[in-house]
Amino acid sequence: MTRRVQYEELCEILARIFESVGTPHDIALLLAENCASCERDGAKSHGIFRMKGYVDSIRSGWVNPAATPRIEDVAPSFLRVDARNGFAQPALAAARSLAIGKARKTGACILTIRQSHHLSALWPDIEPFAEAGLIALSVVNSMAVTVPYGAKRPLLGTNPIAFAAPAEGRAPFVFDMATSAWAHGDIQIARREGRPLPEGIGVDADGEPTRDPARVLDGGALLPFGGHKGSALSMMIELLGAALTGGQFSTEVDWSGYPGAATPLTGQFILLIDPALSGGNPFAVRASEFMTNLSAAGLHVLPGERRRRNRAENLKNGIVLTDEEWEQLMTLAPI
Ligand code: NDP
Ligand code: PYC
C-alpha cells in the first residue's frame, strides 16, 4: 500500500526529526528541505531512507548538528569554509551570497568546505547557482568503498560530480552522478528490496565479482563507472574534495567509534563561473541552442529532466511513499 504526502508536510516531519536530536531550527529546516527535495524529485538514493543515518550520526556524537561554520575570505576568488564537524549544507548556505558576489565581481569563485558531513545529492547545492545565472561545478568525496581500477582494495569514495549551467528560456542543464558504478545508497536499496545487481557493479570481500548487494555492502566494494576513466575522475575528486579543501581523504574517514554513523566527514569543492564575463555570444543562449541540437539528434531525456518531471508531478499530487517508508519515518518522528 502507498500514500501521498505533500512536500511541505514531509519537510515539516523531517525538520521535527532533526530538531528532536538537537539540530537548531534553521539547520533542521535546511536539512529537511534538502532531504525532502531528493524524495520529491525521485532521487531515492538520498531521500527519506537516509533519515536513520542522519539521526544515528547525530545521536552517536559523530556530527555536530549545531556547528557554526567559519568563513575565511582568503582571496578575491577564493573562499574557504570550515564546517567544524557540522553538515556541509549549512556551511554552503553561510557562504553562498559571498561566493556569488565574488564570482560576479571577479568572474569566478572557488569555494572549499572542509570538516563537513555530506549525506545527500549534490544537485540541491548547485542548481540554485545556475538559476541565478552562474555555471557551477561541485565534487565531494565520501568513504572508501570503491576499488580504484586495477587496484586490489577500496580506497576511493563513491565521489559524486555535479555540474549546472543556465540555459535561456528553459530549466538549467544539470547532471549529478556518483563516480562509482552505482551510488552506495542504491546498493542499500537493492539489498532492502532483495534485487540482484547488474554485472560489473561490485565485488565481494575476496575481490570476486558479485551481483549480491549484501556481499558488496558487507566487506565487499564498488567498482568505478567506466573502468579506468571513472577511476581517474574519482581520484581527481579525492584531490579536490580532500587535499585542496583541507578535508579528509575517503580512506581517512574513521567512524568506528560512533555506532550507526553514516555521514562521511570529508570536504566539498565548488567552482562558480560567471558566464557574463566570457565575451562572445551570451552563454545561456548558446547553452539553449546546444540543448535544442541534442533534441534534434534524437535525445529525448536530458540529464536532470527526469527529476524535474518528478518534481512537477509530486508537487501537484503529493509524494508517493510506501507504508514501509512511512512507518520507518514514524519510528524516527517525535509525536
Ligand atoms: P544516476 O546514474 O541516477 O544519474 C546520473 C545523471 O545522469 C543524472 O544527472 C541523471 O539525471 C542523468 N541520467 C540518468 N539516466 C539518464 C538517461 N537515461 N538519459 C539522460 N540522463 C540520464 O546517478 P547516480 O546513481 O550516479 O547518483 C545518484 C546521486 O547520488 C547523485 O545525486 C549524487 O550526488 C549522489 N551521491 C552522493 C554522494 C555523497 O557523498 N554525498 C556519493 C555518491 C552519490 P536525473 O537526475 O534527471 O535522473
Ligand atoms: O550514495 O554513495 C552514496 C553516498 C555516499 C555518501 C553519501 N551518499
Side-chain angles (χ1 to χ4, degrees):
M1 296 282 283
T2 60
R3 69 183 67 216
R4 285 186 183 267
V5 182
Q6 291 304 318
Y7 171 70
E8 293 75 14
E9 187 193 350
L10 187 58
C11 286
E12 199 255 316
I13 294 169
L14 302 191
R16 255 194 291 138
I17 295 173
F18 278 114
E19 283 191 83
S20 74
V21 286
T23 311
H25 184 66
D26 55 335
I27 298 179
L29 274 184
L30 203 137
L31 294 172
E33 280 171 14
N34 183 291
C35 185
S37 300
C38 289
E39 194 67 37
R40 178 202 64 198
D41 281 20
K44 297 286 283 189
S45 64
H46 292 81
I48 57 167
F49 103 91
R50 293 290 190 171
M51 286 305 291
K52 184 170 173 1
Y54 280 111
V55 164
D56 290 347
S57 288
I58 295 169
R59 279 207 179 118
S60 71
W62 168 243
V63 55
N64 175 9
T68 304
R70 185 169 44 232
I71 297 173
E72 299 157 25
D73 186 349
V74 287
S77 300
F78 208 125
L79 206 49
R80 295 197 302 240
V81 187
D82 181 352
R84 301 169 80 202
N85 198 36
F87 288 107
Q89 291 81 5
L92 170 57
R96 188 184 146 74
S97 59
L98 188 53
I100 290 178
K102 281 175 169 290
R104 292 214 194 288
K105 191 164 179 197
T106 69
C109 179
I110 290 166
L111 169 58
T112 61
I113 304 175
R114 65 183 185 279
Q115 285 292 103
S116 51
H117 295 252
H118 205 303
L119 189 66
S120 187
L122 287 186
W123 61 262
D125 299 344
I126 60 161
E127 201 169 82
F129 288 118
E131 284 162 355
L134 298 174
I135 300 168
L137 175 83
S138 183
V139 302
V140 61
N141 62 312
S142 62
M143 61 283 175
V145 291
T146 308
V147 187
Y149 182 81
K152 291 193 175 4
R153 58 184 174 80
L155 185 117
L156 303 168
T158 45
N159 296 2
I161 178 166
F163 175 80
E168 185 71 19
R170 46 164 101 213
F173 173 85
V174 181
F175 80 75
D176 178 15
M177 61 187 205
T179 50
S180 49
W182 274 28
H184 198 259
D186 279 330
I187 309 281
Q188 294 176 48
I189 292 172
R191 171 166 68 178
R192 190 183 68 203
E193 295 177 351
R195 276 186 287 117
L197 305 174
E199 301 281 355
I201 305 297
V203 293
D204 64 18
D206 299 320
E208 296 299 327
T210 180
R211 296 184 59 202
D212 181 349
R215 284 176 182 267
V216 173
L217 293 172
D218 301 333
L222 284 153
L223 298 169
F225 87 87
H228 61 284
K229 300 184 186 184
S231 194
L233 271 180
S234 186
M235 292 171 197
M236 174 193 79
I237 293 169
E238 292 289 335
L239 293 175
L240 293 176
L244 184 72
T245 64
Q248 306 198 72
F249 289 121
S250 297
T251 38
E252 292 167 342
V253 175
D254 179 11
W255 46 30
S256 54
Y258 300 85
T263 58
L265 169 62
T266 55
Q268 180 170 9
F269 166 88
I270 299 175
L271 170 65
L272 302 179
I273 301 169
D274 184 356
L277 279 77
S278 68
N281 285 343
F283 173 88
V285 173
R286 294 288 285 155
S288 193
E289 273 172 30
F290 177 63
M291 289 189 220
T292 303
N293 292 344
L294 289 170
S295 302
L299 189 69
H300 296 303
V301 186
L302 283 166
E305 276 184 356
R306 178 198 65 91
R307 265 193 318 99
R308 273 192 296 275
R309 240 179 253 153
N310 286 336
R311 184 182 304 177
E313 150 78 15
N314 291 337
L315 282 175
K316 190 164 158 226
N317 299 321
I319 302 165
V320 178
L321 299 184
T322 64
D323 283 350
E324 194 194 349
E325 287 172 324
W326 179 255
E327 275 150 28
Q328 260 262 305
L329 213 51
M330 289 304 107
T331 63
L332 298 172
I335 302 160

